[in-house]
Amino acid sequence: MTKRILVYRPLDEGQLARLERDFHVDYLPEVSRAEDPAFLDALTQAHGLVGASLPITPKLLDRAPHLEAIASISVGYDNYPVDELTRRCILLCNTPDVLTETTADTGFLLIMATARRAVELAGMVQRGEWRESIGRESFGTDVHGKTLGMVGFGRIGAAIARRGALGFGMSILYSNSSPKPALEDELGAQRRDFNDLLAEADIVCVTVPLTPDTQHLFGAREFALMKSSAIFINVARGKVVDETALIEALRKGIPHAAGLDVFEREPLPTDSPLPHMTNVVALPHIGSATQETRTAMADLAVANILAALNGERPPSPVNAST
Ligand code: DGY
């Protein structure tokens, strides 16, 4: 019997052809909700899934009795019930490394755009309101030479810090569950207790994964600890932040401004005040969204599912025991 792979994110022709060599592919690139009848129908027969973003719940897994492996086109895997997958002997794979530098670029884009008020001021030009040299009230703040506080110091956090230290002469602080001596040597980074980092950093940049421990890691208390001039950047997951508390804090002016690529609910509800606040730069979760990197991520996901369904060790498993 030919095994079936349900693909629910766009792949290019070459990637699809690689899957179709040995497997039957149900290709549903437009699916945005797990309740989609075509998705549910294909799920009942699927041995493999290739996709991203949809929350895969134990209830959905009950509808997938043949499922052997999932290849997520993402590095984050907070939308999968990992323990439940392991219990059911379903292999989960993700796409680390190939997106590190692009996501770090997005982090730095947000740091620069937020500090220099680029979106707000570009809007002024676009509306034809640039009639004289801008005054002090529109000046931004410097990024070079400032203190960058990384909350989470994994691959992406380190890549953002590297840009800051080597490109912008920034001092690097980090808060992380384990010390990172190699990065301390390379970048002069100093480890700080979380609260101390919040108080000392000019720019606080979050790159932690979403776990039960990091859900709402940032709330009213944490924002109140920051400098009134601080800039808050989130390229991790929206749920790491209590968004209501963030909106309130930004209205009070502490932190001074925020650059956000991720939100508690995505797409961001149209009634959210965040995109309308002049001290906020809001992006539609584009951390890894370049042609090159999304292609590399999909290539890796294809390699993962092919290996997993052929009984080989995939390149980047999340829950493999060996
Ligand atoms: C990731 O790869 O986890 C990105 O955030 C896209 O979801």
Side-chain angles (χ1 to χ4, degrees), residues 73-76 99 236-237 285 288 294 297:
I73 310 175
S74 66
V75 67
L99 48 57
R237 284 290 183 266
H285 199 150
S288 61
R294 285 290 167 88
M297 290 166 71

Side-chain angles (χ1 to χ4, degrees), residues 260-279:
L260 308 168
D261 187 42
V262 288
F263 301 88
E264 279 200 280
R265 275 182 56 203
E266 294 179 6
L268 189 62
T270 49
D271 61 357
S272 169
L274 283 168
H276 308 290
M277 296 172 76
T278 51
N279 56 347

Side-chain angles (χ1 to χ4, degrees), residues 101-304:
E101 298 302 328
T102 297
T103 308
D105 285 350
T106 305
F108 231 86
L109 160 73
L110 276 173
I111 291 172
M112 292 299 294
T114 309
R116 299 300 302 271
R117 303 171 63 169
V119 175
E120 177 193 349
L121 296 177
M124 186 182 86
V125 178
Q126 196 172 43
R127 291 189 302 273
E129 292 168 7
W130 181 31
R131 296 191 194 96
E132 55 190 24
S133 295
I134 64 160
R136 290 195 74 82
E137 70 288 351
S138 298
F139 290 172
T141 55
D142 280 336
V143 170
H144 66 270
K146 294 285 176 69
T147 297
L148 176 60
M150 298 303 307
V151 178
F153 213 32
R155 284 171 286 224
I156 294 170
I160 294 174
R162 203 168 278 119
R163 283 159 175 71
L166 306 181
F168 288 76
M170 301 177 87
S171 307
I172 308 297
L173 305 179
Y174 73 97
S175 135
N176 196 60
S177 50
S178 54
K180 298 279 183 168
L183 289 170
E184 292 181 11
D185 285 349
E186 181 193 346
L187 305 176
Q190 295 178 37
R191 191 169 177 217
R192 286 284 190 279
D193 166 80
F194 180 53
N195 290 344
D196 292 343
L197 178 144
L198 297 182
E200 279 183 59
D202 296 307
I203 295 164
V204 175
C205 181
V206 191
T207 60
V208 288
L210 175 63
T211 66
D213 285 342
T214 61
Q215 177 139 6
H216 281 194
L217 178 65
F218 286 86
R221 189 193 77 89
E222 288 68 31
F223 294 123
L225 287 175
M226 293 180 190
K227 293 181 180 179
S228 57
S229 55
I231 287 174
F232 177 71
I233 302 292
N234 188 4
V235 287
R237 284 290 183 266
K239 290 190 172 108
V240 170
V241 174
D242 175 347
E243 213 162 87
T244 308
L246 174 62
I247 292 165
E248 190 55 30
L250 286 165
R251 282 186 175 139
K252 286 186 193 147
I254 306 177
H256 172 67
L260 308 168
D261 187 42
V262 288
F263 301 88
E264 279 200 280
R265 275 182 56 203
E266 294 179 6
L268 189 62
T270 49
D271 61 357
S272 169
L274 283 168
H276 308 290
M277 296 172 76
T278 51
N279 56 347
V280 171
V281 175
L283 297 178
H285 199 150
I286 59 160
S288 61
T290 63
Q291 303 285 356
E292 300 91 330
T293 292
R294 285 290 167 88
T295 300
M297 290 166 71
D299 277 342
L300 181 51
V302 166
N304 275 326

